Amino acid sequence: MSPDLTPDHLTTDSPGPGLPPVAASVTAELVEALSPRLRKRLDAGVAKLAARPVVRDGDTVRIAVDDDTDLVLHAPGGTVASADAVRCGCLLAPDCLHRAAAASAAPVADDATEPTEPTQEAQKVQGEKEAETAGPEERAAARAVFAAAAAVLEAGTDGAGAVLQAELLRAAHTARLAGLPRASASAVSVVTGVRAARSADPAYRLADLADALGGALGVAHRLPHATGPGLAELRGTARQPYRPDGSLRLYGLFSEPVLTATGYAGAVTWTADAEGRLYTVSDVAPGGPGRATGAADRAVRIGDTSLTHRELARAGLAVSGATVSPTGRLGAGAGVRAVRASGAAWRAEPLGRLWDVPVADQVARALGGGHDLLFLDVTLMGAVREATGDCLLADCAGVPLRLATAHDAPALPYRDNLRLLAAAGGVGLRVVARLAPGPLPRALLLAAEHPSDPAARVDLGLDRLQHADLPAGRIPDAAPAPVVDEAPLHLLRRRVHQAVSGGRRVLAFPGSAAGDGARLRQVALGTAGDLLDGLHAAAADRARDAFGRLLPSDAGRFAGAWLASALYMSEAERALCAQAWGVTTIPA
């Protein structure tokens, strides 16, 4: 069917963004059912399927495998929840390659449900469970997650094909059934990152995948030995309960698009009350870039208000019977009432007090586990070229700050807006950014005052600046990047990231250490040097049998050495980040 003849209720797309999210257990089940011969062909089948068009008709998605065969996915509620919901018309069905390939190409369904108000009985059970030690079922599930994640690390993104991904998804499903939602979500995040890497997704970042892999391995490693409150934290919660919060008078701050590699998209609008507490209203559902850019013009789902997200970002909201999740998300239950109210400028009360908080205190709050938004007054100084692209150099209370894009998706205007702002050197702006921890002061730019009109504001992921929006006059030349005497942690970071990308083998080559451990010890980073040497030793350790043949590698040992290096690097960079921003004490 040609696009011009497609009825209004049908949409066409390519697999990946066009496929509905598939539950982790479904993908694992379909891949496990394949014969060994078909498993070897699965990655090729996923790539071949990616070239076929997708046709949506309500909750049904259809892929033309060839001229005579269709593959159909039924997704009631937007998610494929059972293996029976994936049907193929080929002669080998139901044990064909096509069903497993479709599930492996689709986004992983988010198992997290909408936050709900727990019953008293549920709260009692949860309280009793928090006091227990980990049970055999939980320990077994955690070990399964660790083993599957270690196998992915062993192979690297280049070798972690659909079969290894399915094994990690099965471990994630087992962890969820065992009451370990945090381990389950961490494992799914790794699969999502691996798929983004293998598909050359422009939004993919190696550092994000390394963080996800470290999170999955770390939780799975610690959980079998944890007790009490520590165990409860590692278990996590599948539901975030909304709690009553009475009446609220909120003022819109900004709105940002949401576009995830898991196939979800939408918008989140940030608001604040008179005391500076932050609240969010979100509209996120399965979808792609089109939904991310269009959700801002949808009405917010709270009470009877007809405000869109774009309007709420500049207006206000009066809420009665409010319910709020622990992360500040506003509930939209039947008892919630909301009406439009007047907003406030960023330089007026009560929003202005957000910018009155010293920058070091804001960074300390973010590093201590609070929200990671920074409210900054900056002077633009031009663009700085980095390996990942240009970023904006700005002066923030004497601190040379790098402002990077919050998302690299071409459909979102972040990158274009940053380039235009880089041409407005010398201009002072009030901005909202998200802290990016690292050894240099760095943040992801989300919203800013209009360059020519401080009374207006720009949501940099939704609004597009034009050259005419820049102040008139000569534009100063871009300032060179400041020279920073940075601790050589990049020697450890590079090897940690190389392992994620290329697997064990890239660290096992003779001479790959090349004295990096000794160099780290020379600058008083002895622990980093020892960890790096240990990582190389674990990568190169391959025993042989009596006939000189290589024995299977110890993926667990390599994963343990990698995890220790990753955790050290994370904590060291956190401390350096605090030092760079002038933070003296990080809240526990």
Side-chain angles (χ1 to χ4, degrees):
M1 180 180 293
S2 68
D4 293 338
L5 299 178
T6 302
D8 292 340
H9 65 287
L10 298 181
T11 59
T12 60
D13 207 337
S14 59
L19 292 177
V22 176
S25 59
V26 173
T27 303
E29 179 181 345
L30 292 176
V31 172
E32 187 178 31
L34 294 177
S35 65
R37 180 179 64 86
L38 289 181
R39 286 192 181 193
K40 294 179 181 179
R41 297 171 51 192
L42 181 55
D43 289 329
V46 172
K48 183 177 180 180
L49 196 69
R52 307 301 299 173
V54 174
V55 177
R56 284 178 171 269
D57 184 2
D59 292 334
T60 300
V61 175
R62 190 179 305 273
I63 307 172
V65 177
D66 54 41
D67 293 340
D68 303 316
T69 306
D70 283 348
L71 180 68
V72 179
L73 293 85
H74 296 282
T79 300
V80 177
S82 69
D84 293 339
V86 184
R87 302 174 184 173
C88 183
C90 74
L91 295 177
L92 296 179
D95 298 324
C96 64
L97 183 69
H98 305 130
R99 298 172 71 220
S104 299
V108 183
D110 186 0
D111 286 328
T113 58
E114 290 292 317
T116 58
E117 185 68 29
T119 64
Q120 292 183 352
E121 182 64 24
Q123 291 177 341
K124 178 182 178 181
V125 170
Q126 179 67 20
E128 293 173 349
K129 190 174 183 180
E130 288 176 355
E132 299 171 358
T133 58
E137 183 180 3
E138 290 177 323
R139 291 190 178 97
R143 292 189 180 103
V145 170
F146 188 92
V152 169
L153 176 64
E154 175 94 0
T157 56
D158 297 338
V163 174
L164 283 181
Q165 295 169 29
E167 291 175 359
L168 187 51
L169 289 177
R170 174 169 291 283
H173 178 63
T174 301
R176 185 172 67 86
L177 294 180
L180 304 176
R182 182 176 173 184
S184 176
S186 298
V188 169
S189 295
V190 173
V191 173
T192 298
V194 169
R195 290 182 177 180
R198 293 174 63 86
S199 64
D201 187 332
Y204 165 72
R205 293 182 179 178
L206 178 58
D208 293 340
L209 176 55
D211 289 343
L213 194 53
L217 288 170
V219 169
H221 172 72
R222 294 164 54 201
L223 203 147
H225 314 288
T227 60
L231 174 59
E233 179 185 357
L234 291 172
R235 282 170 172 158
T237 55
R239 295 172 179 260
Q240 290 190 350
Y242 282 127
R243 302 191 183 279
D245 205 11
S247 297
L248 298 173
R249 175 65 169 90
L250 304 176
Y251 302 84
L253 274 167
F254 72 99
S255 186
E256 62 174 320
V258 175
L259 182 59
T260 73
T262 58
Y264 287 80
V268 173
T269 299
W270 291 80
T271 66
D273 66 9
E275 303 300 322
R277 291 187 295 264
L278 300 183
Y279 299 83
T280 60
V281 181
S282 62
D283 179 2
V284 179
R291 194 178 197 285
T293 57
D297 294 314
R298 295 172 178 264
V300 297
R301 295 185 294 180
I302 177 170
D304 298 325
T305 180
S306 60
L307 278 172
T308 66
H309 284 269
R310 194 185 301 274
E311 292 170 337
L312 177 57
R314 292 159 178 79
L317 204 62
V319 186
S320 62
T323 57
V324 184
S325 77
T327 59
R329 180 179 174 183
L330 290 171
V336 180
R337 298 290 182 267
V339 296
R340 179 173 187 156
S342 59
W346 281 1
R347 293 184 180 269
E349 290 300 324
L351 296 184
R353 67 183 59 188
L354 295 170
W355 280 264
D356 293 338
V357 179
V359 175
D361 292 349
Q362 296 187 49
V363 174
R365 177 193 60 216
L367 293 176
H371 72 76
D372 56 1
L373 294 187
L374 302 180
F375 301 90
L376 309 173
D377 287 301
V378 302
T379 300
L380 305 184
M381 300 172 59
V384 175
R385 177 151 295 180
E386 297 183 335
T388 56
D390 291 347
C391 70
L392 190 60
L393 184 64
D395 177 84
C396 179
V399 175
L401 169 65
R402 296 168 187 243
L403 295 169
T405 57
H407 204 294
D408 288 327
L412 303 178
Y414 281 120
R415 178 69 62 186
D416 293 339
N417 286 335
L418 186 139
R419 290 195 185 101
L420 279 174
L421 288 175
V427 172
L429 290 178
R430 182 159 278 192
V431 303
V432 181
R434 180 168 284 120
L435 178 67
L440 296 176
R442 186 181 181 86
L444 308 179
L445 194 56
L446 300 171
E449 289 178 331
H450 194 283
S452 301
D453 182 7
R457 65 189 76 160
V458 181
D459 295 332
L460 295 170
L462 298 171
D463 305 324
R464 286 192 179 273
L465 287 168
Q466 306 295 328
H467 283 284
D469 295 321
L470 301 182
R474 191 183 75 84
I475 298 174
D477 295 332
V483 178
V484 181
D485 185 14
E486 183 182 351
L489 275 177
H490 66 275
L491 298 175
L492 179 61
R493 183 192 313 116
R494 178 175 59 191
R495 299 306 183 189
V496 168
H497 288 178
Q498 280 181 341
V500 175
S501 179
R504 169 202 287 265
R505 64 186 181 278
V506 301
L507 300 187
F509 296 140
S512 59
D516 286 346
R519 181 180 171 189
L520 287 167
R521 282 185 284 272
Q522 288 174 357
V523 293
L525 292 174
T527 301
D530 293 344
L531 287 170
L532 182 56
D533 289 345
L535 181 60
H536 282 290
D541 183 18
R542 291 293 301 274
R544 296 179 180 271
D545 62 15
F547 299 98
R549 295 172 298 192
L550 282 173
L551 296 174
S553 60
D554 187 350
R557 182 195 169 191
F558 178 65
W562 181 90
L563 179 60
S565 299
L567 289 175
Y568 172 88
M569 185 185 71
S570 176
E571 287 302 309
E573 290 191 337
R574 182 169 175 259
L576 289 173
C577 177
Q579 181 182 26
W581 286 92
V583 177
T584 56
T585 303
I586 301 175

